[in-house]
Amino acid sequence: DADVTQTPRNRITKTGKRIMLECSQTKGHDRMYWYRQDPGLGLRLIYYSFDVKDINKGEISDGYSVSRQAQAKFSLSLESAIPNQTALYFCATSEPGQGKAYGYTFGSGTRLTVV
Amino acid sequence: DAKTTQPPSMDCAEGRAANLPCNHSTISGNEYVYWYRQIHSQGPQYIIHGLKNNETNEMASLIITEDRKSSTLILPHSTLRDTAVYYCIVRPRDVGDKIIFGKGTRLHILP
């Protein structure tokens, strides 16, 4: 099984609908992140959480909310989806420390299309 | 804003060494340099990291200048499968692990 699992892998939704993207991890990492990727714009940080009781806004949090249900679960919600939220979304984890085991581990991504 | 600067794209002939530069002139003493790569639309994957010494692993080598203001990722014998976007990031040693990714370098390996 993948260390970081994102569901769904692909989703098409209509403008105005509420949608939740889910992320679960088996790394045992405390820190989790949601990134958005648009063509040519690299990865932009939406929200991040350093532990279950900690939630922080990233670069582009407007229009999004998150919930950290447990150490292993971090979900991203779009309360009222709009077409410019069409993008590839990545969840990631990390842990304090240096090296491959502590660095970012990314999920496979969720491709979201808002029509 | 990202704390690193990379060229937007590079080409390299298959079999040759690919040298990807990164500028991190504002790096502080407690920040490490990490490289990740993203193949097509998959999640980025760890390649290598370093603080001030040169590092080598099974995937690549990392050369960090003495003043630590820049580094170069070297893929010694590039293959078509190395075509990807390569991200150079700086990561604090301690807390505050909120990484801002730049746009990276899109590396094309040419047959």
Side-chain angles (χ1 to χ4, degrees), chain A residues 66-82:
Chain A
V66 291
S67 173
R68 185 79 184 267
Q69 301 95 323
Q71 185 206 39
K73 296 184 182 295
F74 192 37
S75 59
L76 176 72
S77 294
L78 288 68
E79 297 299 327
S80 180
I82 56 177

Side-chain angles (χ1 to χ4, degrees), chain B residues 32-83:
Chain B
Y32 284 69
V33 179
Y34 276 71
W35 283 82
Y36 286 78
R37 76 176 180 185
Q38 183 177 25
I39 297 175
H40 194 46
S41 295
Q42 300 175 19
Q45 294 178 311
Y46 168 89
I47 301 174
I48 198 167
H49 77 286
L51 181 62
K52 56 183 179 180
N53 297 321
N54 297 338
E55 302 287 345
T56 295
N57 64 18
E58 67 278 5
M59 292 181 66
S61 294
L62 174 60
I63 308 298
I64 302 174
T65 58
E66 190 169 348
D67 63 7
R68 301 207 326 121
K69 293 185 177 182
S70 65
S71 61
T72 301
L73 178 74
I74 301 172
L75 308 178
H77 304 290
S78 59
T79 71
L80 297 178
R81 288 174 295 183
D82 292 323
T83 292

Side-chain angles (χ1 to χ4, degrees), chain A residues 31 33 35 37 40 42-43 45 48 50 59 88 90 94-95 97-100 102-104 106-108 111, chain B residues 1 32 34 36 38 41-46 49 58 87 91-103:
Chain A
R31 300 177 175 184
Y33 311 80
Y35 286 89
Q37 186 170 40
L43 294 160
L45 183 62
Y48 62 102
F50 283 178
E59 303 170 86
L88 185 56
F90 287 103
S94 77
E95 192 78 346
Q98 302 299 334
K100 183 176 182 179
Y102 302 94
Y104 278 53
F106 285 83
S108 298
R111 186 171 296 281
Chain B
D1 291 338
Y32 284 69
Y34 276 71
Y36 286 78
Q38 183 177 25
S41 295
Q42 300 175 19
Q45 294 178 311
Y46 168 89
H49 77 286
E58 67 278 5
Y87 297 97
R91 183 170 186 234
R93 182 199 299 267
D94 301 312
V95 298
D97 194 12
K98 177 176 67 72
I99 302 303
I100 304 298
F101 283 78
K103 297 182 181 181

